[in-house]
DNA sequence: GTCTATAGATAGATAGAC
DNA sequence: GTCTATCTATCTATAGAC
């Protein structure tokens, strides 16, 4: 949480913050370096000093939350009981979305970010790990659809202004319950499958 | 379904088809009129003869499926029994997504299309009507989150290549069942598919 | 670290010939 | 309906002064 300490990191962070905000609003392709520079009150050249391309900004924005999620998945995979695995995974996923509402979730589904996304090694496997952790041996077509709906739904919740009135704690609790219901696990009695 | 009959409509339709494909791939902002023109083998000027701006193309692409969905909602609102209302609404919504997988769903959540989207009168109310039809008097916070997850999930399913192996009929059946489960309606007894 | 200046490419859009 | 030609604006990116 305490990042803007070093003089170099401060300017870099300002670029990242402004970029994330603008990307969420106009999309990656719809955001120019000009706009980013203007928002933080500097010129394009100043931005280019921190990042050599726009894609590098996108990658930097995505790498952090993806790696954080990756670490949660590491923990989840160490769990032996399936119930706990689903629980830990779902919580980590929800936390990743809530960590930056209207930001990261937006980027994940931005076509302009797709290229940068593919180059991040972490991302390539995260999807498969999530599916494996949440579905386990349940791989019927309905399970797969439920998984896709859950992922899309979580991203939507992260982006939508429709739920802005809900605070993070409340939203987290509800999302985990709804997610469990969607996956067909009973959260009341400790995540049991139907 | 039979549209490309008149000579004028044919060229127009070619532009729409190419645009939808490219928008789905690169996003609206990431797609230039140059790219659209190149794909159908004409020049930019030829595209400008059909549509005066890029936004007009976006609006044309969105208006049709949105109006179709609107008509389904008209029907749903005439239903007196709540069970039937949810049933008809959910089916119409799923059909709207499946009508153009990887197309319309993509556009709905594209930041570059947001402006054009707001100008379509039909869209402004569709969201509220959907919520009212699907939730009815159930408006707890969990209900609202479930609704948001459902909408985002459906869009995701429409976009995702992850479910491309499922044919429309299968996907439709599963989506309606998953949607019913998410909304907390008992599909076995009440909401029956087809 | 930030600036000015500028290069080179491409964007959206228009005019007018065919 | 489609073309060539062209306009203006903006884009990414670089070079070099401060």
């Amino acid at each position: 949480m305490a990042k803007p300490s070093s003089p170099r990191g401060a300017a870099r962070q300002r670029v990242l913050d402004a970029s994330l905000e603008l990307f969420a609003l106009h999309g990656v392709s719809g955001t120019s370096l000009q706009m980013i520079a203007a928002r933080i009150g500097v010129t394009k050249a100043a931005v280019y000093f921190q990042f050599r391309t726009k894609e590098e900004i996108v990658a930097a924005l995505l790498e952090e939350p993806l790696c954080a999620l990756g670490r949660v998945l590491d923990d989840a995979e160490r769990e032996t009981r399936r119930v706990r695995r689903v629980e830990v995974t779902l919580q980590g996923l929800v936390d990743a979305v809530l960590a930056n509402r209207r930001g990261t979730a937006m980027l994940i589904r931005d076509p302009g970010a797709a290229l940068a996304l593919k180059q991040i090694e972490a991302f390539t496997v995260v999807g498969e790990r999530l599916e494996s952790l949440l579905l386990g041996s349940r791989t019927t077509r309905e399970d797969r659809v439920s998984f896709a709906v859950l992922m899309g739904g979580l991203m939507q919740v992260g982006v939508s202004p429709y739920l802005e009135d809900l605070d993070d704690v409340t939203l987290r609790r509800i999302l985990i319950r709804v997610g469990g219901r969607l996956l067909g696990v009973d959260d009341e009695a400790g995540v049991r499958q139907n």
Side-chain angles (χ1 to χ4, degrees), chain A:
Chain A
M1 291 294 173
K3 261 282 185 58
S5 48
S6 72
R8 180 182 162 270
R12 187 186 155 93
Q13 193 60 40
R14 273 195 296 274
V15 172
L16 289 177
D17 290 343
S19 299
L20 186 58
E21 215 170 318
L22 289 168
F23 288 164
L25 205 57
H26 307 108
V28 174
S29 297
T31 304
S32 67
L33 293 184
Q34 190 80 265
M35 294 163 73
I36 296 171
R39 164 151 295 221
I40 50 184
V42 298
T43 62
K44 278 185 292 179
V47 177
Y48 271 106
F49 180 80
Q50 307 288 348
F51 301 93
R52 279 208 307 232
T53 67
K54 190 162 72 170
E55 241 184 39
E56 241 180 46
I57 302 179
V58 176
L61 283 172
L62 284 167
E63 202 156 22
E64 211 177 279
L66 277 176
C67 287
L69 180 57
R71 285 190 294 274
V72 173
L73 299 192
D74 289 342
D75 294 341
E77 277 159 359
R78 271 194 289 274
E79 295 285 345
T80 51
R81 287 164 42 230
R82 170 165 148 66
V83 179
R84 275 295 294 164
R85 289 171 73 142
V86 173
E87 199 175 308
V88 172
T89 305
L90 200 49
Q91 281 172 12
L93 190 55
V94 169
D95 284 338
V97 170
L98 293 185
N100 198 330
R101 277 163 83 169
R102 318 214 54 180
T104 311
M106 176 81 239
L107 264 187
I108 290 283
R109 52 188 221 183
D110 193 306
L115 203 74
L117 210 47
K118 272 176 194 155
Q119 286 170 351
I120 299 176
E121 205 186 343
F123 179 70
T124 321
V125 280
V126 154
E128 298 163 21
R129 290 173 75 193
L130 274 172
E131 183 178 359
S132 165
L133 281 164
L134 289 179
L135 293 183
S137 56
R138 308 173 48 193
T139 52
T140 66
R141 291 176 301 189
E142 178 161 344
D143 289 325
R144 287 175 55 217
V145 171
S146 298
F147 174 71
V149 170
L150 173 64
M151 296 301 292
L154 285 181
M155 298 305 120
Q156 172 67 20
V157 168
V159 168
S160 174
Y162 165 73
L163 296 172
E164 257 172 1
D165 57 314
L166 300 187
D167 64 281
D168 282 4
V169 177
T170 304
L171 194 48
R172 183 179 193 270
R173 179 169 41 79
I174 295 177
L175 275 179
I176 290 173
R177 193 158 56 218
V178 170
R181 187 147 46 85
L182 190 50
L183 292 174
V185 292
D186 183 18
D187 60 309
E188 309 293 333
V191 189
R192 223 192 330 266
Q193 50 206 31
N194 281 4

